[in-house]
Amino acid sequence: MSAAGYELYYWPTIQGRGEFVRLALEAAGAAYVDVARSPGGMAAMMKILKGGLPGPLPFAVPFLRHGDRIVSQSAAILAYLGPLLGLAPEDEQGRSEALQIQLTLADLVTETHDTHHPISSGLYYEEQKAAAKARSAAFVSERVPKFLGWLERVLVRGGGEHLVAGQLTYVDLSAFQVLSGLFYAFPNAMARLRAQIPRLLALHDRVQASPRLKAYLTSSRRLPFNEQGIFRRYPELDLQRQERQRAQRSLRARSTPRGRSAARAAKTRASRRK
Amino acid sequence: MSAAGYELYYWPTIQGRGEFVRLALEAAGAAYVDVARSPGGMAAMMKILKGGLPGPLPFAVPFLRHGDRIVSQSAAILAYLGPLLGLAPEDEQGRSEALQIQLTLADLVTETHDTHHPISSGLYYEEQKAAAKARSAAFVSERVPKFLGWLERVLVRGGGEHLVAGQLTYVDLSAFQVLSGLFYAFPNAMARLRAQIPRLLALHDRVQASPRLKAYLTSSRRLPFNEQGIFRRYPELDLQRQERQRAQRSLRARSTPRGRSAARAAKTRASRRK
């Protein structure tokens, strides 16, 4: 490794949590080695996870090696890398705000993972499918709208273009990644939400179209989403088509005065039935 | 609020994630207001959560208000507070290491919460009890030993007394809290693990016995653990007594040479039976 170079350590066959770090490195045009995708890299990664180097012991991947620094936990890696790559706010207050939003994105990522693994990561999806369906139903109906609605409000409050400090930061890149993953995994649920998150969609599209990211996303370095990663497309976990059509009819209905009064009447009937 | 004072905002009837912040404030002897436990505090908290103040919008509680700063996400709050309270390492590298460990503790806290709510926080425990039992079984047999074993190794590598930088930091306080919560929620599983985490137990006891923490923990400000919080004692989710006795016999057997060879023989028999 060159003294100035970055080494990213992460599982070689999925985007996973490593992708949040990779996007920052790529967006900055930084030179880095994706160690576990290189010859001998998996062995080197396992050795460090087992405590083979002095300094902080990573609990899990991803971790970054930079000179004599080892940094683990995606949000901590980005808090470290952001300033070095010009992808963080300049001042302490802005950096703290970036961390706060990044941690909320990390919570959403964990909840997304748990839609297909609600019982244990040590079991196959097929062994926890019933619980996965129940968890996913709550996730797409309650959690995703709450998280994305919050991100939309944060964008609006910050001027509409960026999540923190009115400038492109690693947080915008991570929001792009989470949104891309949710579109992949839950296309029906996300189609229903589109109208409520216009600024977030625009941010996603701007990040995707930026020259360095565009080059990366169309390269072989960008692994496709797949059913070993965090964002998995299991149609049975997504909002079902009928539910989505029903939800959209109901949204359309509520958007006209006549529709609204009809919707109110239907709601009253529904609550009477209880 | 006095300009220099800290305001902590968190649900008033549980320790929850607010406790990690509260422990740091208490250990430093800082003056603070626990807003939602004060008259009118819940309304003030909800107003800020709804966007009633300029600046960063918290996604959830806990959040801290300090002068014109609003900081949310426990780990980000502690990263902000630690240096102000003298409970963080002096240099950037040490502070990053503190954040990395704190984020791993936060992951463990989330996994602990999900043992009783594996499907949805919007449902009662009783509505997801079967999934809770399955998730808890994996949690106590795989995840808790992995997390606590890692913390023990981090302690050993750092000299045995503190988790970061050879000094008391907010990370030690958070580790105390997680350990206390796990002892409350999973007494059988934790009894089995005691022998493997001597330094972590000693750290827990030192924190508990330190004068300010001792005063706090015996005050009415320290709410008891209860079955509305993150750490809940549902005996059906803990390791069952028979399993624990079996596990301890097997551990004892393996600790003598004769026992070890008997254990190996039993293991061979067991795998042959498969």
Side-chain angles (χ1 to χ4, degrees), chain B:
Chain B
M1 165 181 89
S2 95
Y6 298 105
E7 290 184 348
L8 170 63
Y9 292 77
Y10 192 69
W11 306 121
T13 58
I14 59 170
Q15 291 183 19
R17 286 182 171 84
E19 196 69 9
F20 296 96
V21 182
R22 208 174 276 116
L23 284 174
L25 292 163
E26 293 280 353
Y32 72 101
V33 181
D34 212 324
V35 178
R37 294 189 193 170
S38 315
M42 275 295 287
M45 181 167 99
M46 299 317 292
K47 194 181 150 193
I48 296 176
L49 280 174
K50 284 177 183 152
L53 283 182
L57 177 67
F59 178 74
V61 292
F63 60 86
L64 181 85
R65 190 176 179 188
H66 182 219
D68 60 358
R69 292 286 292 268
I70 299 269
V71 188
S72 59
Q73 280 279 1
S74 324
I77 298 172
L78 290 167
Y80 170 75
L81 267 183
L84 298 174
L85 301 178
L87 286 170
E90 284 300 314
D91 63 334
E92 180 275 326
Q93 181 161 349
R95 289 181 186 179
S96 171
E97 290 180 24
L99 176 62
Q100 295 165 52
I101 301 173
Q102 189 67 32
L103 291 177
T104 305
L105 289 170
D107 287 344
L108 173 52
V109 168
T110 295
E111 292 194 25
T112 306
H113 170 270
D114 285 7
T115 58
H116 47 79
H117 278 77
I119 302 300
S120 166
S121 292
L123 298 173
Y124 289 109
Y125 164 62
E126 289 71 19
E127 297 175 280
Q128 49 196 315
K129 208 163 167 178
K133 278 189 180 183
R135 178 146 187 160
S136 297
F139 179 71
V140 299
S141 69
E142 295 155 27
R143 302 300 286 168
V144 177
K146 181 171 173 167
F147 277 106
L148 300 191
W150 176 80
L151 286 169
E152 181 76 10
R153 292 189 69 195
V154 171
L155 270 172
V156 171
R157 287 163 66 103
E161 297 281 305
H162 296 291
L163 283 162
V164 195
Q167 63 177 99
L168 180 73
T169 67
Y170 66 81
V171 183
D172 294 327
L173 306 175
S174 293
F176 156 80
Q177 173 66 7
V178 169
L179 218 60
S180 303
L182 290 173
F183 272 116
Y184 172 77
F186 301 101
N188 291 342
M190 290 300 288
R192 189 175 66 159
L193 279 174
R194 289 189 71 92
Q196 294 160 52
I197 51 169
R199 284 179 184 82
L200 196 54
L201 293 177
L203 172 65
H204 170 276
D205 294 349
R206 276 198 311 279
V207 168
Q208 186 168 250
S210 64
R212 278 186 185 138
L213 259 288
K214 193 174 170 185
Y216 165 63
L217 295 170
T218 53
S219 76
S220 62
R221 299 192 302 287
R222 171 75 166 187
L223 300 179
F225 287 110
N226 62 40
E227 279 55 62
Q228 284 78 52
I230 292 169
F231 298 99
R232 303 189 184 186
R233 179 171 287 174
Y234 292 137
E236 63 273 22
L237 301 188
D238 193 6
L239 195 68
Q240 299 307 297
R241 194 177 287 272
Q242 320 83 287
E243 295 171 278
R244 179 186 143 195
Q245 284 167 345
R246 207 179 308 133
Q248 279 181 332
R249 270 199 302 276
S250 139
L251 276 176
R252 263 200 305 277
R254 266 178 283 156
S255 68
T256 67
R258 176 174 293 197
R260 272 198 295 275
S261 93
R264 264 198 307 275
K267 209 170 164 187
T268 311
R269 279 197 303 279
S271 57
R272 274 202 207 114
R273 268 203 296 276
K274 259 198 185 168

Side-chain angles (χ1 to χ4, degrees), chain A residues 2 9 22 36 42 66 91 121 138 152 160 163 166-167 169 194 209-210 249 267 270:
Chain A
S2 95
Y9 292 77
R22 208 175 274 115
M42 275 294 285
H66 182 220
D91 62 332
S121 293
E152 181 77 11
L163 284 162
Q167 63 176 97
T169 67
R194 289 189 72 91
S210 64
R249 269 199 305 275
K267 209 169 163 186

Side-chain angles (χ1 to χ4, degrees), chain A residues 66-78:
Chain A
H66 182 220
D68 61 358
R69 292 286 292 266
I70 299 268
V71 188
S72 59
Q73 280 278 3
S74 323
I77 299 172
L78 289 167

Side-chain angles (χ1 to χ4, degrees), chain A residues 121-143:
Chain A
S121 293
L123 298 173
Y124 290 109
Y125 164 61
E126 288 72 18
E127 299 175 279
Q128 48 196 315
K129 208 163 165 176
K133 278 189 180 182
R135 178 145 187 160
S136 297
F139 179 71
V140 299
S141 69
E142 295 156 26
R143 302 301 286 169

